[in-house]
Amino acid sequence: MDMINLLKEYPVSINHLNFGIRDAAVEKELFEAVWIQRKEPTYNYEAVFMLSEMWKVPINYLVGRLRCEAAHKLLLVEKNMAEALYYYKLAATENQSVEALFSLSNLKLNVVQNLQSYEESLVHLKQAADSPHKIKYNEEVSITNKYIIESQLMYANLLFEGLSGKKDLNGAKKYYDLAWSGGLKKSAPFAKYAIILCRGDGGDIIPKDLEKGLKIFKEIIEESGIENTQPGIVYLYGTFLFEINKNQGIQFIRIAAKSGYPTAKETILEFEKKLNDNNDNKTTNDNNNNSNSNNNNDDNNNNNNNNNNNNNNNNNNNNNNNNNNKNNNKKKNGKQVKKNNLC
């Protein structure tokens, strides 16, 4: 196909924003070739089929991604909410796009913010969260379903909070577990789950697991780099880590405070005091232990000296007894000699 030339050589990334394309000419070629539009036909099937084979992506998934990219541009660049919603809905209904369902839910939760929008978001997110983690192209090639982990975590959060009704901890646990099993690298959306585990807010259904919660926080920070991690996440990690290792925990609290995170700035002095008190107590205990150890050593040395003195006295007594025995034997032998001489 003559319309696709630059794309044949350009290294795209299917799930990245704008397919990872940073060249304006390549981007223009892509959207002119596939011409995502409202009127029928809504896209160029021949061009999409060719790209599907080139990139090893199922056509339905690729069309969903193209429609979502068009919606992203309309929303973020052109600020055209109505048109953006049209393409998100089209991708959600025709392509069962998890990305589109997640994006619709985000808009309804953060922009509309009423009971109806919460209920609609739950419907969208449940559909997304029940989708597979991987989309198969063939038996050898599969692609991560974009925003599947984020959808499962957001749905679990809504069930946990009960924003549109009663809490559903069992449902929340199910989708937290699905996200945990599917997300090899833990990113910022896992933060809420980490907080629940560290605090034990899930009762018997999602029991407290400080070790697992801290592991999630640590992976979030390592994945983004501490300088790119939200200061609130750094602060929470520090406070929970402080419970078991004050010297390590305080380092993250200080970083969050230095980054300007308000809660960290308000509480840093309190944590510093707790650290100093803990270190003072530790020093006192160490001194007491050393003193006790020295006293024990002195007592042991005194006992050993006494035992040695006793042993020396016993040895002297034994020596005296031996000398007395020798003298007695000499006297006895002297008398016997005299007796023999008389005889």
Side-chain angles (χ1 to χ4, degrees):
M1 177 180 284
D2 294 338
M3 289 186 294
I4 295 178
N5 295 299
L6 299 175
L7 286 165
K8 291 178 181 178
E9 303 296 330
Y10 197 90
V12 299
S13 181
I14 297 302
N15 282 339
H16 282 197
L17 186 66
N18 206 35
F19 297 94
I21 297 172
R22 298 188 178 186
D23 185 304
V26 178
E27 181 183 356
K28 183 180 179 184
E29 180 179 281
L30 171 63
F31 283 97
E32 285 184 353
V34 299
W35 34 268
I36 297 296
Q37 58 187 12
R38 267 182 177 265
K39 63 183 182 180
E40 293 293 336
T42 57
Y43 64 92
N44 183 338
Y45 181 83
E46 185 182 358
V48 171
F49 179 80
M50 183 176 178
L51 292 174
S52 168
E53 291 197 324
M54 275 174 48
W55 296 341
K56 299 190 184 313
V57 186
I59 288 180
N60 187 60
Y61 185 80
L62 180 55
V63 172
R65 282 287 297 115
L66 287 164
R67 284 171 170 165
C68 283
E69 286 296 334
H72 297 336
K73 290 181 186 304
L74 287 164
L75 182 65
L76 301 174
V77 179
E78 299 182 22
K79 310 297 181 185
N80 190 333
M81 172 78 77
E83 283 295 294
L85 285 172
Y86 171 80
Y87 285 107
Y88 283 137
K89 289 175 181 176
L90 193 63
T93 53
E94 289 195 4
N95 308 112
Q96 299 77 47
S97 166
V98 168
E99 179 181 7
L101 291 163
F102 177 77
S103 299
L104 283 171
S105 299
N106 254 331
L107 287 172
K108 291 180 179 182
L109 286 171
N110 297 311
V111 178
V112 183
Q113 292 186 332
N114 58 37
L115 182 59
Q116 181 181 348
S117 71
Y118 285 138
E119 290 174 347
E120 290 174 354
S121 293
L122 280 173
V123 173
H124 292 323
L125 285 171
K126 186 175 190 319
Q127 183 183 346
D130 287 333
S131 301
H133 282 163
K134 296 286 186 180
I135 301 295
K136 272 187 167 187
Y137 174 72
N138 55 34
E139 291 303 317
E140 291 79 32
V141 179
S142 61
I143 303 159
T144 298
N145 203 350
K146 188 173 175 67
Y147 287 146
I148 179 61
I149 301 299
E150 291 85 348
S151 297
Q152 289 172 337
L153 289 169
M154 183 181 284
Y155 187 51
N157 291 343
L158 291 177
L159 294 176
F160 183 86
E161 297 294 344
L163 292 181
S164 64
K166 191 171 71 172
K167 283 190 175 190
D168 181 1
L169 294 184
N170 286 304
K173 182 181 187 307
K174 173 185 174 181
Y175 289 98
Y176 280 136
D177 288 345
L178 281 172
W180 172 264
S181 64
L184 297 179
K185 293 181 178 179
K186 305 300 177 284
S187 53
F190 275 93
K192 172 71 174 177
Y193 183 39
I195 293 169
I196 293 168
L197 291 171
C198 288
R199 287 180 179 164
D201 294 339
D204 294 333
I205 297 173
I206 309 176
K208 182 173 182 177
D209 190 338
L210 185 59
E211 182 181 354
K212 184 176 180 180
L214 287 173
K215 181 181 178 184
I216 294 174
F217 274 123
K218 184 179 180 183
E219 289 184 14
I220 292 171
I221 293 170
E222 288 176 347
E223 175 67 13
S224 302
I226 197 162
E227 66 283 352
N228 297 320
T229 304
Q230 298 171 31
I233 291 176
V234 175
Y235 172 73
L236 286 169
Y237 178 55
T239 59
F240 291 125
L241 183 59
F242 193 84
E243 295 178 21
I244 58 172
N245 190 321
K246 290 178 171 50
N247 286 313
Q248 286 186 14
I250 196 67
Q251 302 301 324
F252 293 92
I253 298 170
R254 287 169 181 163
I255 291 170
K258 190 174 180 180
S259 300
Y261 185 63
T263 308
K265 290 169 68 177
E266 291 168 7
T267 59
I268 184 66
L269 293 178
E270 179 184 344
F271 281 105
E272 294 285 7
K273 185 178 183 305
K274 287 180 180 178
L275 177 66
N276 290 333
D277 290 345
N278 180 72
N279 289 338
D280 288 344
N281 290 335
K282 185 178 179 183
T283 301
T284 301
N285 290 334
D286 288 344
N287 289 337
N288 288 338
N289 289 335
N290 289 334
S291 177
N292 290 334
S293 177
N294 290 334
N295 289 337
N296 288 336
N297 288 336
D298 289 342
D299 290 342
N300 288 334
N301 288 334
N302 289 335
N303 289 335
N304 288 335
N305 288 334
N306 289 335
N307 288 334
N308 288 335
N309 289 335
N310 289 335
N311 288 334
N312 289 334
N313 289 335
N314 289 335
N315 288 334
N316 290 335
N317 289 335
N318 288 336
N319 288 333
N320 290 335
N321 289 335
N322 289 335
N323 289 333
N324 290 335
N325 288 336
K326 287 179 181 178
N327 291 331
N328 291 334
N329 287 335
K330 285 180 181 179
K331 289 177 182 178
K332 186 176 179 181
N333 290 336
K335 289 178 182 179
Q336 187 66 36
V337 169
K338 286 180 181 179
K339 185 178 179 181
N340 291 337
N341 290 335
L342 290 173
C343 296

